Amino acid sequence: MPLAGLAEISDIGRDPRRGGYSRHLWQGAELELRSWFVERAERLGLDVETDRNGNLWAWWGRPGPDAVVTGSHLDSVPGGGAFDGPLGVVSALEAIERLQASGFVPTRPCAVLVFAEEEGSRFGIACLGSRLMTGAIDADQARALTDQDGVTLAEAAREVGLNPAHLGLDRDALARIGLFVELHVEQGRGLIDLGRPVAVASSILAHGRWRLSITGQGNHAGATTMAERRDPMVATAQAIVATQAAARSHVGTRATIGRIEAIPGGTNVIASAVHSWLDARAETDAQTRLLVADIEARAQQAAEQNGCSATLTEESWAGAVQFNPGLRARFAHALGQVPQLPSGAGHDAGVLAAHLPSAMLFVRNPTGISHAPEEFADTADCVAGIDALEQLLLELL
Ligand code: GLV
Ligand code: MN
Ligand code: MN
């Protein structure tokens, strides 16, 4: 049955409070998904291993070099959809299963790769597994990252049996990949507008994450007159509105504040500080930097107007990605002139693109919505995606 894998995991990590799924690195649901993946892959006779950064590999035949590797991720944003990540993993396993069933014998090594913490929902850095593998994040900086309970990445890694000293650039793992292809649900309306089920990715927006911390004076909600207040919540509210105005004034850019934390966080307490997290994106690195500089200036102004102070700290950065034009044209042609579409979302395939030939396939999402429970893909379109992936694997292997 097509997409049996998605049905098998459909109850893992459901989030009754937020809706959708919450599957976070090395915590209950994500660990269950890892076990499911191991069992699924082993049923196909694949050899599963975990690399030193917690990424899972399932090898069809002997491990690399020059392997054709396909996969995605199993973690989610808080309250995310069922397809972002798992669709690529399930499709990779199904494409291999079909090739095996046809009696095909690969002439190159092949693996399914599941990247750890693609969404950055636990430790704040998107594409953490691929950044660690490629050395795009400093290992010491990564080890010191903390989750919302104050657990460091090093501690979390130790808890699941990894040696935290071994986190970071993994030249051996990287050297095994001859080519990477990630199938992913589309996170936009490109394929809806084109009336097509499948596309090849052309590019990824530059994007990054910043923490905006606005500090004022914590005080009593009843005893403090309105004139006396230095309220960082009000400053943050103004900064959020200003963020929207800034992104609207920089054509084609996107800025989001989707997470906020008041300290100490009491109904009858004027906050002493408010932290909020900015996600900013644009077509080029320079446009993104300009947008963030504008937002920072507006946030400073909002803080000053309220007797507060503001700091904006960069937590992660990913430059714009252009997927290899020759490779994507070749894939688009091989699949019957499927369209090439840009991505507003970041992906591990984008991180790998700086190091090796890397490509992506997108499957139509009829809602156009992602990072939310409404994210969707019709079975027929998912099957078209698996067909496309199988065809590419057949040619590449
Ligand atoms: C990942 O999905 C991102 O673009 O944030
Ligand atoms: Mn995502
Ligand atoms: Mn994803």
Side-chain angles (χ1 to χ4, degrees):
M1 190 178 77
L3 303 174
L6 279 186
E8 286 165 15
I9 62 174
S10 63
D11 284 332
I12 303 177
R14 276 192 192 274
D15 190 328
R17 188 170 66 85
R18 299 181 176 109
Y21 295 92
S22 293
R23 298 161 161 172
H24 300 153
L25 181 71
W26 298 331
Q27 294 181 327
E30 203 255 8
L31 290 172
E32 254 188 85
L33 289 172
R34 285 171 178 262
S35 301
W36 164 84
F37 176 77
V38 172
E39 200 255 320
R40 253 270 165 181
E42 287 179 347
R43 250 194 278 157
L44 298 181
L46 311 185
D47 295 318
V48 182
E49 59 179 44
T50 306
D51 70 20
R52 51 206 185 84
N53 292 305
N55 305 306
L56 280 169
W57 301 69
W59 287 97
W60 184 18
R62 265 183 312 106
D66 200 31
V68 176
V69 180
T70 179
S72 191
H73 59 96
L74 291 171
D75 66 308
S76 76
V77 295
F83 296 85
D84 178 355
L87 181 63
V89 176
V90 165
S91 299
L93 291 169
E94 284 202 25
I96 288 179
E97 189 173 10
R98 286 187 188 182
L99 290 173
Q100 289 177 334
S102 74
F104 176 77
V105 180
T107 59
R108 281 171 82 173
C110 178
V112 180
L113 178 51
V114 178
F115 280 106
E117 180 82 330
E118 193 274 346
E119 300 289 6
S121 298
R122 181 167 179 198
F123 288 100
I125 308 282
C127 298
L128 185 59
S130 55
R131 284 187 205 241
L132 283 164
M133 184 197 288
T134 58
I137 182 170
D138 174 72
D140 285 331
Q141 185 202 337
R143 278 186 276 268
L145 292 169
T146 52
D147 69 8
Q148 290 190 28
D149 297 322
V151 178
T152 65
L153 181 71
E155 289 163 348
R158 196 177 294 113
E159 251 176 57
V160 293
L162 293 175
N163 183 342
H166 293 167
L167 292 172
L169 176 63
D170 189 346
R171 289 186 209 282
D172 294 339
L174 211 46
R176 297 189 303 193
I177 311 175
L179 182 148
F180 181 68
V181 53
E182 178 171 2
L183 179 148
H184 206 281
V185 68
E186 197 201 350
Q187 296 167 291
R189 307 186 58 84
L191 285 168
I192 301 174
D193 294 344
L194 291 167
R196 303 282 296 267
V198 172
V200 169
S202 55
S203 58
I204 297 179
L205 295 180
H207 58 286
R209 297 180 182 190
W210 291 260
R211 188 181 70 248
L212 173 63
S213 295
I214 300 189
T215 306
Q217 178 59 59
N219 213 332
H220 194 290
T224 317
T225 65
M226 298 315 284
E228 283 172 312
R229 294 174 184 226
R230 293 169 46 219
D231 187 343
M233 186 64 90
V234 175
T236 300
Q238 291 174 356
I240 292 170
V241 174
T243 294
Q244 186 194 47
R248 285 187 171 160
S249 71
H250 294 247
V251 176
T253 67
R254 292 154 198 195
T256 307
I257 293 183
R259 182 178 150 215
I260 183 166
E261 183 187 355
I263 309 293
T267 305
N268 55 351
V269 182
I270 298 166
S272 57
V274 175
H275 305 294
S276 58
W277 281 265
L278 166 70
D279 177 306
R281 310 188 188 214
E283 211 161 283
T284 68
D285 297 8
Q287 285 167 345
T288 314
R289 295 288 185 195
L290 262 180
L291 169 66
V292 173
D294 188 1
I295 290 170
E296 184 171 18
R298 294 179 194 230
Q300 292 290 359
Q301 202 180 9
E304 275 163 33
Q305 279 169 6
N306 290 280
C308 299
S309 60
T311 55
L312 190 73
T313 310
E314 182 174 307
E315 294 198 335
S316 69
W317 169 256
V321 173
Q322 293 293 330
F323 285 105
N324 181 298
L327 189 61
R328 63 187 214 230
R330 182 180 144 205
F331 282 5
H333 177 72
L335 299 174
Q337 298 306 347
V338 299
Q340 298 186 30
L341 285 178
S343 171
H347 300 284
D348 295 302
V351 175
L352 292 190
H355 302 268
L356 48 93
S358 177
M360 291 191 76
L361 294 174
F362 290 135
V363 170
R364 175 166 50 192
N365 173 354
T367 67
I369 293 171
S370 186
H371 284 184
E374 293 83 358
E375 179 184 274
F376 192 64
D378 285 315
T379 300
D381 289 351
C382 294
V383 170
I386 298 168
D387 289 345
L389 184 60
E390 181 189 7
Q391 192 177 329
L392 293 183
L393 293 180
L394 192 62
E395 288 190 19
L396 293 162
L397 291 170

